[in-house]
Every structure is written in C-alpha cells, then in structure tokens.
Amino acid sequence: MSVFNWIIVGLNIPLSLLSAAHALFFKRTPQSALVWVAVCLTFPFVGPVVYFVFGINRVRNRARRLEIKRPPHRVEPGGGDSLETAKHPPADLEVSRAVSDIARISDNVARAPLVGGNRIDLLHNGEAAYPAMIQAMENAEHRIFLCTYIFDTDSAGRQIIGALTAAAARGVEVRVIVDGFGELYSRPRASVLLEKAGIACTRFLPPRLLPLPMLHINLSTHKKTLVVDGDVGFTGGMNIGDRHLAEVEDNSKRVVDTHFRLTGPVVRQLEQSFIEDWSFCTGQPLEPIATPTVSRGKAVCRAISDGPSEPVDKLSTILVGAVATARKHVMIMTPYFLPSVEMISAIQTTVLRGTRVDIVLPSVNNLPFIQWATNNMLYELLFWGANIYFQPPPFVHSKLFVADGQYAQIGSANMDPRSLKLNFELNVEIFDANVVEDITGYVAEKIERSRQIYLADINNRSFPAKTRDALMWLFSPYL
C-alpha cells in the first residue's frame, strides 16, 4: 500500500469514528443513531460528510447559541410579583381526575404558573378579530405589544398599522415584532411602513447575507400575540392580512381561522413572552407593566412559550400527555397534521382504551405537499378507530385542542414538526368548562359540515397518489 493510501486510511478512521460517536451520543432514537453510525463507518469519507450535512440538528444548536446572547432580565417567569395573588395550584382545579393529571403534566413542564380570573372570547375570522383588536388599541392608555408571523400590508394590515400609529401619536408605547421570514409574504414590508410611522419595530431573525449569511426558514417566531396595557390580549392562529376575511367570497385567498381575546392575569404571561422576545431581538430590556392584575372571569389559564432553544419540547410533551390522559373525548383541529411517533402511539392507545378521538383537517391545503404526507400516515390512526374529518374549502387554518370537555389549548402551534420542533410558538391552555364548551361546539359544528374519511378512502388511492404521498412523508420531519 502506497504512502498516499495510508494517509487516506489514517484520515478516514478518526473522521468516521468521530462522526459515528457524535451520532451515538446526540441522536434521540436508537433507529436514527444506528443508521447514522452505520453510514459513517461503512462509507469512507462520504458517510461522515453526509452526516455532517444532513445528520446534525443545526436548528436546535443554532437556537441554543442564540439563546445564550439573550440579555438577562429582571422579570420572573409568568410576569413577576404582580401575578402572585392570581396563581392557581393544579390541586385546586375543579376538574376530573384525568384533566387534573394534564394540569400536573404541564405544571412540571412549563415555566409559568396557572393563573385564575381570566375571560376568554372566541373570535371567528378576521371579521370579528380585527375590529376587536383595533378597538383594544384605540382604548390603550399605556402600551401596545404586537408580535406576528405574517403581517401583510394590504387593507387589513394597513388598518392595523393605522391603529398602531394613532396610538403612538397620543403617547402610547408601541412595540412590534415581525418575523423576518414571514414578513416577506408582502410588499412593501410591514416593518418598513411601521418604521416610517415612527413605531418601534424589530424583525425576528431576518435572513441576511452579511456580515455572516443567515438564510433559513426555521427559527421563525410563529407567535401571534397582541397585548394592550397588560390586561387585554389576543392570540390564536390568525396572522394579519385580508386573507383572514373569510366572509368575502370573491377573496380567492380567503382563510377560515379562529382567534381569541383574553382578559385577566394570563395576559401578563403573553406580555412576558413578548418582553423576552424583544430583548432577544434588540438587546433592550423591558419591564412588565406596573399596574396590578385584575380578575376578569373564572377561567384558569397558562401561557406556554416553546421553541428549539428549550431543553424540552414543551408543547409536544404536554399534548402527548393530554391525549394519553384523556378518558372521554379528544378533539384536534389543525391545518397541518404530521404527528410525531409519540403522538401517533398516544392516539392509538387512547382509542384502544375507549376514548373517542376526532381529528379535523382541511380537505384542501394551501401547502399540498403537507397534505400528501399526511395522507400517507392516516392509515396508522384509522386502522385503530380514530375519526378523521376533512373540512370543505375555503382553507381552514384553526389550531384547537380539546380534552374531556374541561381542557383546551389555543394558540399558534400546528401539529407538525415545524411548529413543535423548529419554530418559536405560544399556546394558552384553558381549564374552564364554559370556555371549553364554546370551543367544543365550534369544532363539532365544523365536523357536521365535514366529510368523514374511512380506511377504504386511504387504501383506494391510486398507485401514483400513494407513491407521491409516501415520498412526501419521507420529508415530513422537514416540512
């Protein structure tokens, strides 16, 4: 063997061993670790290079490096001392044993405490949500914090910008966070118009080429929150734009969605999420509003902020726990349904135990490749007895979760890897029979208008459709 060959062998052995060791220690499933170890050791040079390009979770690593740069703040998780009197221990909830178990799971996973004294109002589409948001901004006396993924600069978007501008003109502190990738959906960009109006606006991890390239569609803030004076808040699935005006039938891009108005102590937790994200984006610390919290209703709630910088996938863990714990009925409505292996197993086990599981999805998706990938895995749920429903057009963007008629989650997170692993999200969990009844009724009404999907529908797909769906499913962790 020549000296050159010995050099090649000498370089390949440590490279293969190092990459295999990295896969062994950092991959989270034995199947994944085994495959990558085999690739690194079997294919000289090529295996380690392929692992370096495709096998390392750079999203989580980059998110944690960015998290280290987050400026320290003096605000306690959940809003500080002003929330002490509103804290509501899980043991004090007047709910079933199963729902009480859900509360204990989330209490051990989430940073924020449960807080009582809240009111939650369900808002249908932009026709109800935007006027309520504008009215809240018109009534603002101290501050307005707005965070959104997409901020279109069409008619609806400019009305929101107008309300923000008017509030700032009368002395209200106004701050806006727009996702750096999401704002590219519209021209001119919302951040440009806001800055021209003199409003403090920052972009969340905007793509750039210099000084160091940062081009990605992950690590986005997918949160949709509006907080006014620390007492009135809005969150849900709705971005800002004409597309959410679903009652305008000649709107070819119309989207059906739900948003929620929250009043009471839980709004301070939405404010806390914004304060942390503002510090992350700008390096500028903010303090929570100084006015005391006021009870507005009877709902017990908690805001759960999640993202790839967290050591635990909080929302995923809580949702899997809620499905596994429910004893009567689980309802899931989501536009993008690519559940994890853990979630699939939890749904299967829950159905086998006799709990009804209804999953409501759009029949026509704005991202067809996600719908194709979803079709490929529905067999796993239908076979064991889960109920799948396809809603008729227009596209339905609502994200709702209900368990046993006493627990609900609302917010920005979809039931897919992008939301639960790659992006920054905010959901609110609700323990209140009356509010959950409203949400349950909304989902039930949508089910009545939907087409139920059966095992035969999935099995009878054409061979080209099955092939297409299976190929898209292979990429589901990245969709």
Side-chain angles (χ1 to χ4, degrees):
M1 183 179 294
S2 67
V3 173
F4 177 77
N5 289 337
W6 279 113
I7 293 174
I8 295 297
V9 171
L11 290 174
N12 177 66
I13 290 176
L15 189 62
S16 297
L17 290 176
L18 285 172
S19 56
H22 190 280
L24 182 64
F25 286 114
F26 291 100
K27 289 293 139 185
R28 300 177 69 176
T29 65
Q31 299 93 330
S32 177
L34 180 60
V35 168
W36 281 117
V37 167
V39 167
C40 293
L41 296 180
T42 304
F43 301 98
F45 287 107
V46 175
V49 169
V50 170
Y51 176 71
F52 177 79
V53 174
F54 297 105
I56 298 175
N57 188 344
R58 287 180 174 78
V59 172
R60 187 174 294 273
N61 291 344
R62 179 180 292 175
R64 288 177 176 170
R65 287 196 300 270
L66 290 168
E67 184 72 15
I68 294 173
K69 299 179 181 179
R70 186 191 293 270
H73 54 81
R74 299 187 296 278
V75 185
E76 296 177 13
D81 295 338
S82 63
L83 282 180
E84 285 297 321
T85 58
K87 286 184 179 179
H88 196 103
D92 293 345
L93 290 170
E94 296 179 0
V95 294
S96 67
R97 180 175 177 180
V99 175
S100 179
D101 287 343
I102 297 174
R104 281 193 286 271
I105 292 171
S106 62
D107 209 50
N108 286 314
V109 173
R111 290 186 301 159
L114 284 171
V115 290
N118 304 288
R119 174 175 172 171
I120 315 293
D121 297 307
L122 172 60
L123 305 172
H124 298 271
N125 302 316
E127 282 83 357
Y130 296 151
M133 294 166 65
I134 290 172
Q135 182 181 23
M137 289 187 280
E138 290 174 345
N139 294 334
E141 296 179 356
H142 305 289
R143 57 167 44 168
I144 298 173
F145 291 161
L146 173 65
C147 178
T148 186
Y149 175 62
I150 295 174
F151 197 146
D152 287 335
T153 51
D154 48 24
S155 176
R158 288 176 186 261
Q159 287 183 49
I160 298 293
I161 292 173
L164 294 169
T165 304
R170 65 175 188 269
V172 176
E173 177 189 7
V174 179
R175 297 178 188 265
V176 178
I177 299 174
V178 183
D179 182 69
F181 180 81
E183 75 160 351
L184 299 179
Y185 280 81
S186 186
R187 292 285 181 178
R189 292 185 285 112
S191 61
V192 173
L193 297 183
L194 290 165
E195 288 166 358
K196 285 182 178 179
I199 294 172
C201 177
T202 186
R203 300 161 67 202
F204 191 95
L205 295 181
R208 68 174 187 234
L209 293 175
L210 298 172
L212 293 175
M214 184 181 288
L215 302 173
H216 55 76
I217 58 173
N218 303 316
L219 292 177
S220 291
T221 181
H222 197 238
K223 301 175 184 179
K224 292 101 174 171
T225 59
L226 170 67
V227 179
V228 177
D229 291 342
D231 185 55
V232 181
F234 295 82
T235 194
M238 213 172 295
N239 293 294
I240 296 174
D242 286 349
R243 69 186 73 193
H244 292 290
L245 299 175
E247 296 175 15
V248 181
E249 293 188 4
D250 61 352
N251 180 0
S252 61
K253 296 181 179 180
R254 64 189 178 125
V255 175
V256 173
D257 212 335
T258 51
H259 221 55
F260 293 82
R261 177 174 50 214
L262 300 82
T263 51
V266 73
V267 177
R268 298 300 173 91
Q269 296 182 349
L270 272 63
E271 180 187 62
Q272 168 68 16
S273 173
F274 183 94
I275 287 173
E276 293 181 354
D277 290 344
W278 183 267
S279 297
F280 174 75
C281 292
T282 67
Q284 303 169 2
L286 292 175
E287 295 292 340
I289 198 163
T291 57
T293 58
V294 179
S295 177
R296 300 295 185 184
K298 297 181 179 180
V300 178
C301 303
R302 175 182 8 236
I304 304 168
S305 194
D306 196 11
S309 59
E310 298 283 351
V312 176
D313 296 325
K314 293 190 288 187
L315 286 173
S316 179
T317 300
I318 294 169
L319 287 168
V320 169
V323 170
T325 303
R327 289 295 182 269
K328 297 179 181 178
H329 194 185
V330 172
M331 306 175 89
I332 299 170
M333 179 183 285
T334 181
Y336 312 118
F337 186 63
L338 294 171
S340 63
V341 173
E342 294 82 4
M343 177 59 78
I344 292 173
S345 297
I347 292 173
Q348 291 170 334
T349 304
T350 298
V351 171
L352 290 173
R353 196 178 56 241
T355 301
R356 180 183 178 93
V357 177
D358 294 327
I359 301 168
V360 189
L361 310 174
S363 61
V364 177
N365 205 298
N366 69 328
L367 300 176
F369 51 87
I370 292 184
Q371 186 169 15
W372 298 336
T374 298
N375 291 339
N376 189 70
M377 49 72 51
L378 290 181
Y379 176 92
E380 301 288 336
L381 303 177
L382 289 167
F383 181 84
W384 297 107
N387 301 305
I388 310 291
Y389 302 91
F390 279 1
Q391 297 187 72
F395 174 56
V396 183
H397 193 247
S398 300
K399 312 135 191 316
L400 302 169
F401 179 91
V402 179
D404 284 356
Q406 294 180 316
Y407 176 82
Q409 268 198 43
I410 61 174
S412 63
N414 302 305
M415 194 76 74
D416 68 354
R418 182 164 300 282
S419 275
L420 300 177
K421 289 184 178 296
L422 304 178
N423 287 340
F424 295 88
E425 306 280 356
L426 185 137
N427 276 13
V428 175
E429 55 179 3
I430 303 167
F431 296 86
D432 182 87
N434 292 327
V435 176
V436 176
E437 183 180 8
D438 290 343
I439 299 173
T440 300
Y442 175 85
V443 178
E445 188 270 331
K446 294 299 182 183
I447 288 175
E448 289 181 2
R449 299 176 53 229
S450 301
R451 177 172 67 95
Q452 186 166 2
I453 302 300
Y454 297 96
L455 203 57
D457 297 312
I458 298 301
N459 290 335
N460 292 337
R461 289 171 297 155
S462 66
F463 179 75
K466 289 180 178 179
T467 303
R468 173 202 65 194
D469 297 348
L471 288 173
M472 285 299 101
W473 175 77
L474 286 176
F475 296 95
S476 58
Y478 311 101
L479 296 179

